[in-house]
């Protein structure tokens, strides 16, 4: 994966003992990485605010100690809340993001727009190894692509997924796979 | 600007030709002679091939910083068609507006200084008067006030200047591709690469990352000085004289690569050379990267015996991963066959120029 130079390198959540506070934004199962990262350290969890994209009515997950927990029903609402907490975070707050690549991509953009970079930010990729793909021909986006080649769900062109990633679009590039031999497709393989 | 240029109204130096459809593009003997042949020896490998952008010999492609040639009017008509079909080929992030004005100044002053018979620029403070005779344009505007031009400053001037252009913002010890107009590219997408940094947009290139080429080139570019532009040559091959070999349209033009036969190879296969130049811009501290594309048919190329011999040897010995990256798999053998008939095995002299 790391040989794709344009793809961001995600790491592990590493809450620092010396941070003044912790602001977490997690998507779905990303909360498991949060639990593992904080490792039940009550001192750190007591200073933590957790914004979680989770179904309404789902209670606070186990193992998060005294952290303030805020569930939000969709990615958009979770990121809006995250932006709000970020704007009011105190100096020295460390930010932690966990979720799918598309989620991490959007959330890091929010964080860097607020000046959170370098050691002030830790990230962890969680969830299925699918890719968000943009068809370079019609510009249509496809979420959770697991297999290449695939037919574009917008324009129908047969696409292969190139190892080229745009952070701005939050997507890999899909390019016509049979332009030089119409109808001849390579065997499908998992991404 | 009207999309249909009237060639009968333009000085006859400019060719009436197309880069799509019936593909009537050709080079005159003078254009062949001044073609920027990219190989100074019989083999090719990636390198940090950067030199000062100094004036070359009279009539050469580098005699002036911005080269306007016989294909100018037809290339600008092709650009207008690409932009009409796909506006995403010209994009600029909001913080790049100062760099856009820098670019407009660089191009207008260079073109008016070096080609006074075609272009003129009069400046009275911020009140500028630009005349482009080949394209029939007479424009008064206020420098710095985008509302006084029919397009943004970058789009306005690059619709009148051969070559693709990228504007690179410099921050965090990197260069960011934050604006550009790209309508005659060798299979890369501005829309996809917009906002990437130097290492990211070069992601797909084989070998060069591991050879340390991009790290060294970036370091060099970060120190680029005002008034000391640099240049390099890059090359690939294109079937038919098509300027717009974009990924966006690859599902339409890719099939061309399967149409090369021993009968048509001399006319269909083109060496595509990019004369790339970089300038530091004064107000914005951005860098402009120009990609000026030159096409030459195999038939035209072998009229210079040294070039026919040399291209045969370069293509024959090119590593497969580079040939694949350049998309030559389908027609490499047919092209080699043709070129081999123009290679008698005689030694070639060092350097780019014809003997
Ligand atoms: C700073 C402005 C530059 C821009 C905007 C730029 C852009 C690009 C792009 C978009 C590609 C195609 C990548 C793809 O396949 O998607 C490319 C290829 C490449 N670039 Fe650059 N580049 C720049 C400067 C340089 C410099 C200074 C070097 C010097 C070594 C360089 C070396 C290369 C090489 C070796 C390739 C592969 C070309 C081939 O094999 O056909 N570039 N560049």
């Amino acid at each position: 994966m790391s040989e794709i130079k344009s793809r961001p390198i995600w790491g592990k959540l590493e809450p620092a003992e010396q941070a003044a506070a912790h602001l977490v934004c997690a998507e779905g199962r990303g909360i498991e990485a949060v639990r593992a990262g904080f490792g039940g350290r009550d001192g750190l969890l007591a200073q933590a605010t957790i914004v979680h994209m989770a179904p309404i009515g789902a209670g606070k997950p186990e193992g998060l100690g005294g952290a303030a927990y805020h569930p939000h029903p969709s990615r958009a609402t979770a990121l809006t809340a995250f932006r709000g907490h970020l704007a009011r975070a105190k100096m020295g707050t460390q930010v932690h993001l966990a979720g799918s690549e598309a989620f991490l991509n959007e959330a890091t953009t929010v964080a860097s727009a607020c000046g959170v970079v370098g050691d002030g930010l830790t990230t962890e990729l969680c969830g299925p190894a699918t890719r968000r793909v943009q068809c370079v021909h019609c510009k249509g986006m496809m979420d959770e692509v697991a297999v290449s080649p695939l037919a574009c769900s917008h324009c129908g062109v047969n696409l292969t997924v190139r190892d080229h990633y745009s952070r701005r679009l939050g997507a890999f590039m899909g390019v016509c796979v049979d332009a030089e031999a119409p109808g001849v497709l390579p065997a499908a393989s998992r991404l | 600007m009207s999309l249909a240029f009237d060639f009968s109204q333009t000085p006859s130096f400019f060719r009436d030709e197309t880069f799509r459809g019936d593909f009537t593009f050709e080079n005159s003997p003078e254009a062949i002679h001044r073609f920027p042949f990219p190989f100074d020896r019989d083999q090719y490998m990636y390198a940090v091939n950067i030199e000062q952008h100094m004036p070359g010999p009279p009539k050469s492609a580098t005699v002036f910083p911005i080269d306007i040639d016989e294909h100018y009017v037809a290339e600008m008509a092709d650009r207008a068609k690409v932009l009409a079909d796909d506006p995403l080929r010209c994009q600029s992030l909001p913080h790049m507006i100062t760099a856009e004005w820098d670019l407009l100044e660089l191009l207008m002053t260079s073109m008016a200084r070096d080609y006074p018979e075609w272009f003129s620029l009069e400046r009275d403070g911020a009140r500028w008067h630009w005349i482009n005779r080949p394209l029939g344009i007479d424009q008064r505007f206020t420098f710095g006030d985008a509302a006084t031009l029919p397009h943004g400053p970058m789009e306005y001037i690059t619709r009148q200047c051969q070559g693709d252009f990228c504007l690179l913002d410099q921050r965090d010890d990197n260069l960011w591709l934050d604006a550009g107009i790209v309508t005659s590219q060798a299979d890369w997408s501005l829309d996809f690469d917009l906002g990437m940094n130097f290492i990211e947009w070069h992601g797909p290139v084989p070998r060069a990352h591991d050879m340390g080429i991009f790290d060294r080139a970036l370091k060099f570019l970060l120190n680029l000085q005002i008034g000391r532009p640099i240049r390099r040559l890059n090359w690939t091959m294109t079937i038919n004289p098509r300027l717009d070999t974009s990924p966006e349209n690859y599902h339409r033009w890719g099939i061309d690569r399967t149409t090369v036969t021993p009968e048509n190879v001399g006319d269909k296969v083109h060496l595509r050379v990019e004369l790339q130049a970089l300038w530091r811009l004064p107000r914005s501290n951005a860098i402009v990267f120009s990609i000026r594309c030159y096409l030459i048919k195999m038939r035209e190329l072998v009229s210079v015996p040294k070039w026919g011999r040399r291209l045969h040897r370069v293509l024959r010995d090119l590593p497969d991963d580079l040939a694949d990256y350049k998309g030559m798999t389908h027609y490499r053998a047919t092209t080699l066959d043709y070129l081999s008939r123009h290679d008698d095995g005689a030694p070639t002299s060092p350097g780019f120029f014809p003997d």
Side-chain angles (χ1 to χ4, degrees):
Chain A
M1 236 151 71
S2 61
E3 77 267 21
I4 304 174
K5 304 282 180 196
S6 51
R7 185 179 206 174
I9 298 162
W10 312 111
K12 280 235 163 279
L13 295 194
E14 287 177 63
E17 297 282 347
Q18 69 274 23
H22 298 274
L23 176 58
V24 178
C25 191
E27 178 192 54
R29 282 177 36 210
I31 203 71
E32 290 163 22
V34 176
R35 190 185 297 122
F38 280 86
R41 285 175 288 176
D42 286 326
L44 296 184
L45 283 165
Q47 317 259 10
T49 302
I50 299 177
V51 174
H52 187 201
M53 179 191 147
I56 295 184
K60 181 174 172 181
E62 299 285 296
L64 296 179
Y69 176 78
H70 306 283
H72 292 272
S74 64
R75 186 186 295 173
T77 55
L79 288 175
T80 302
F82 171 55
R83 195 178 285 113
H85 286 288
L86 199 52
R88 303 182 51 207
K90 59 178 158 186
M91 286 286 291
T93 298
Q94 198 185 22
V95 174
H96 310 281
L97 305 171
S100 69
E101 184 152 60
F103 168 80
L104 289 178
N105 197 65
E106 275 192 62
T108 48
T109 306
V110 171
S112 59
C114 293
V116 181
V117 289
D119 291 344
L121 179 69
T122 76
T123 57
E124 187 164 333
L125 178 63
C126 308
T130 57
R131 295 178 176 187
R132 188 158 180 257
V133 174
Q134 186 191 44
C135 171
V136 74
H137 310 295
C138 76
K139 308 289 178 188
M141 289 285 185
M142 285 155 280
D143 279 321
E144 301 191 2
V145 173
V147 172
S148 176
L150 71 154
C152 175
S153 63
H154 304 265
C155 70
V157 169
N158 293 317
L159 303 174
T160 180
V161 180
R162 275 186 88 194
D163 283 344
H164 198 19
Y165 182 81
S166 161
R167 267 181 232 254
R168 185 179 69 93
L169 301 170
F172 286 83
M173 186 193 282
V175 185
C176 182
V177 66
D178 59 346
E180 299 178 35
V184 180
L185 302 183
S189 63
R190 296 199 71 78
L191 289 171
Chain B
M1 201 189 310
S2 155
L3 295 191
F5 291 97
D6 182 355
F7 283 92
S8 63
Q9 296 298 307
T10 62
S12 60
F13 172 76
F14 300 108
R15 303 181 72 92
D16 180 1
E17 62 188 3
T18 56
F19 301 90
R20 55 178 74 208
D22 56 359
F23 294 111
T24 57
F25 163 91
E26 271 186 350
N27 286 300
S28 68
E30 295 73 36
I32 294 173
H33 194 76
R34 74 196 297 281
F35 187 82
F37 189 72
F39 308 111
D40 63 350
R41 66 197 71 183
D42 288 355
Q43 54 190 351
Y44 175 77
M45 183 34 72
Y46 291 148
V48 187
N49 55 335
I50 294 175
E51 59 179 336
Q52 294 300 320
H53 193 21
M54 303 277 276
K59 297 194 173 160
S60 71
T62 52
V63 59
F64 300 126
I66 298 294
D67 183 40
I68 303 294
D69 69 11
E70 64 188 23
H71 308 296
Y72 172 62
V73 174
E75 282 190 25
M76 294 300 97
D78 197 74
R79 164 158 295 161
K81 287 201 179 94
V82 173
L83 291 171
D85 288 346
D86 182 0
L88 297 179
R89 302 300 188 83
C90 178
Q91 296 193 52
S92 181
L93 298 180
H95 61 277
M96 298 306 281
I97 187 67
T98 307
E100 289 195 34
W101 285 109
D102 276 334
L103 174 66
L104 176 136
E105 176 185 58
L106 173 73
L107 296 185
M108 284 189 177
T109 53
S110 307
M111 291 161 78
R113 180 192 61 224
D114 299 330
Y115 302 96
E117 69 279 33
W118 296 332
F119 310 105
S120 94
L121 178 66
E122 280 166 32
R123 290 185 279 186
D124 173 12
R127 288 202 313 239
W128 290 29
H129 182 195
W130 167 249
I131 297 175
N132 178 334
R133 290 181 196 90
L135 298 186
I137 292 169
D138 186 320
Q139 179 80 44
R140 291 172 195 274
F141 64 99
T142 306
F143 188 86
D145 180 357
T148 59
L149 286 172
H151 300 282
M154 173 183 73
E155 178 171 353
Y156 178 76
I157 192 57
T158 56
R159 277 175 178 265
Q160 302 178 48
C161 187
Q162 281 172 282
D164 287 344
F165 290 86
C166 299
L167 293 173
L168 313 164
D169 193 28
Q170 182 161 334
R171 53 181 199 273
D172 304 335
D173 281 335
N174 215 322
L175 296 172
W176 302 83
L177 179 37
D178 286 346
I181 182 160
V182 175
T183 64
S184 52
Q185 67 284 60
D187 206 4
W188 68 278
S189 166
L190 173 73
D191 183 47
F192 194 79
D193 287 3
L194 192 73
M196 287 189 192
N197 68 37
F198 189 86
I199 301 299
E200 290 172 341
W201 80 61
H202 280 119
V205 180
R207 284 183 193 233
H209 291 274
D210 295 337
M211 293 166 71
I213 286 179
F214 291 127
D215 290 335
R216 273 180 288 145
L218 175 59
K219 227 174 168 173
F220 193 90
L221 297 187
L222 292 175
N223 290 311
L224 189 64
Q225 303 296 312
I226 293 180
R228 305 204 45 166
I230 58 173
R231 66 172 174 245
R232 64 183 293 269
L233 293 172
N234 190 41
W235 69 280
T236 187
M237 301 198 83
T238 302
I239 304 310
N240 295 326
R242 189 188 294 279
L243 287 175
D244 177 26
T245 46
S246 56
E248 277 81 358
N249 284 327
Y250 169 66
H251 58 315
R252 303 199 176 96
W253 59 260
I255 193 76
D256 293 2
R257 288 177 171 166
T258 65
T259 60
V260 178
T261 64
E263 291 70 42
N264 67 21
V265 49
D267 284 301
K268 255 196 191 282
V269 178
H270 294 71
L271 177 63
R272 181 186 193 110
V273 173
E274 294 174 348
L275 172 56
Q276 306 177 340
L278 298 109
W279 289 259
R280 175 73 68 191
L281 295 171
R283 299 172 186 77
S284 56
N285 197 44
I287 287 178
V288 53
F289 180 66
S290 70
I291 312 151
R292 175 73 163 78
C293 169
Y294 297 82
L295 293 166
I296 190 169
K297 298 174 192 302
M298 291 301 102
R299 172 172 58 73
E300 296 170 338
L301 184 129
V302 299
S303 69
V304 178
K306 172 175 164 182
W307 293 353
R309 291 187 186 108
R310 180 160 286 169
L311 183 61
H312 172 241
R313 298 169 198 180
V314 167
L315 280 191
R316 184 190 60 200
D317 301 337
L318 191 69
D320 287 340
D321 54 342
L322 267 68
D324 285 346
Y325 174 71
K326 291 175 188 284
M328 291 163 35
T329 319
H330 277 297
Y331 55 87
R332 187 177 179 187
T334 314
T335 309
L336 275 176
D337 224 41
Y338 175 85
L339 289 172
S340 70
R341 283 185 273 121
H342 299 271
D343 183 3
D344 55 9
T348 52
S349 59
F352 303 95
F353 294 100
D355 285 325

